[in-house]
Amino acid sequence: MSNAVKVFFSYSHKDEDLRDELATHLSLMKRRGFIEAWHDREISAGREWANAIDDNLNTADIILLLVSANFLASDYCYDIEMQRAMERHEAREARVIPIILKPVDWRDGPFAKLQAFPKNTKAVTTWQDKDEAFLNVVQGIRTVVEEMAKSKTSSTASETTTAATSTSLATSGGITDSQRRRLKQEQDSLQQQYDLVSTKLGKLREAYLIETDTANSSRRSPLTVKRCKSTQILHMLTITWG
């Protein structure tokens, strides 16, 4: 499922049995395609484990910190995975959710400010029924998953709409056929106006030249010159403005 929320388990291998139980309780969300859960036991043979962990940690939408004394004592869990998880959380790139597996003093940890599960941060192993504890944890995770799924769907819809609009504009050259026809009509109208003005200016220029030539002619009488000039100019103006 393309919009599935990616979930990363950060845990101590000494707590692997509890991680497995939590993963089991998340099975329905996995089957429905709401989440894609990953932990380091899924690293395939021959692949560099550190790179595989980094790749998945850096692309996860939700990072589960499975907190216990073993987790806090692990240099890799605390100094690398947890620190990177908090960096991405602060940058709003991912959501970090602490899951308190076993009783431990965690209140001074960098993640202590975050909402932790189970309810009232009561460690999973202290519940009379662990299934009930994990149910509470999964319900909290589901709420976050639903929020993220809605956000992803909205983002995908927006990108699809933008891409469709861009494609439509590129196909039509940015304008519709109706707009193209209207622009062509306006262009033709402007060309006709330009041609008309050019013709009138040409006629006026000819009239001016006739007046100048007539005035400079010394071989005609003043009366003849005046009559000729008036007749020619009147003829030119009649053609120009008529």
Side-chain angles (χ1 to χ4, degrees):
M1 186 174 179
S2 59
N3 286 331
V5 174
K6 296 182 179 180
V7 178
F8 179 95
F9 290 85
S10 177
Y11 72 104
S12 165
H13 285 173
K14 293 180 180 180
D15 297 321
E16 190 167 0
D17 56 338
L18 291 172
R19 185 217 66 203
D20 287 341
E21 288 189 60
L22 175 56
T24 299
H25 279 269
L26 291 170
S27 294
L28 182 58
M29 280 196 279
K30 289 178 64 177
R31 289 183 182 279
R32 295 291 304 278
F34 297 151
I35 65 171
E36 292 178 1
W38 190 93
H39 51 76
D40 63 355
R41 293 305 190 194
E42 296 186 13
I43 299 174
S44 56
R47 187 175 182 191
E48 294 185 11
W49 63 270
N51 290 339
I53 291 174
D54 288 345
D55 290 344
N56 285 278
L57 178 59
N58 289 325
T59 57
D61 299 303
I62 295 177
I63 302 171
L64 304 179
L65 304 182
L66 306 192
V67 182
S68 69
N70 296 321
F71 177 87
L72 298 180
S74 169
D75 290 340
Y76 195 88
C77 290
Y78 192 92
D79 294 332
I80 297 178
E81 291 184 355
M82 188 271 291
Q83 297 295 342
R84 178 55 182 152
M86 292 303 298
E87 288 175 1
R88 296 196 63 224
H89 181 90
E90 296 295 339
R92 298 182 182 276
E93 297 174 352
R95 187 83 67 90
V96 173
I97 303 176
I99 310 297
I100 312 303
L101 295 182
K102 299 176 181 179
V104 64
D105 181 12
W106 56 273
R107 299 293 180 178
D108 290 331
F111 52 84
K113 61 183 179 180
L114 304 179
Q115 176 62 51
F117 292 102
K119 181 174 62 176
N120 299 325
T121 64
K122 182 180 179 181
V124 170
T125 56
T126 65
W127 287 56
Q128 186 174 356
D129 185 344
K130 281 197 300 182
D131 283 336
E132 187 176 355
F134 279 124
L135 172 61
N136 182 262
V137 170
V138 170
Q139 288 173 337
I141 294 173
R142 178 183 285 275
T143 299
V144 177
V145 168
E146 289 173 350
E147 292 175 1
M148 289 191 163
K150 289 179 181 179
S151 177
K152 283 194 171 193
T153 300
S154 298
S155 177
T156 300
S158 176
E159 291 173 0
T160 301
T161 301
T162 301
T165 301
S166 300
T167 301
S168 176
L169 289 175
T171 301
S172 64
I175 59 175
T176 64
D177 290 338
S178 176
Q179 291 173 325
R180 189 179 291 105
R181 286 193 296 270
R182 186 164 62 251
L183 288 174
K184 184 64 168 61
Q185 292 172 354
E186 292 176 359
Q187 182 182 8
D188 292 341
S189 176
L190 289 173
Q191 184 64 48
Q192 291 174 0
Q193 293 179 40
Y194 174 81
D195 293 341
L196 180 60
V197 171
S198 296
T199 300
K200 290 180 179 181
L201 288 175
K203 297 300 182 182
L204 287 173
R205 186 173 182 275
E206 291 180 20
Y208 172 79
L209 291 176
I210 290 172
E211 183 180 7
T212 302
D213 291 341
T214 302
N216 291 335
S217 175
S218 58
R219 292 179 296 177
R220 301 177 184 178
S221 65
L223 181 60
T224 301
V225 170
K226 181 176 181 181
R227 185 181 295 113
C228 178
K229 176 178 71 174
S230 299
T231 300
Q232 290 176 313
I233 293 175
L234 178 61
H235 176 66
M236 296 301 297
L237 291 175
T238 298
I239 294 174
T240 303
W241 304 108

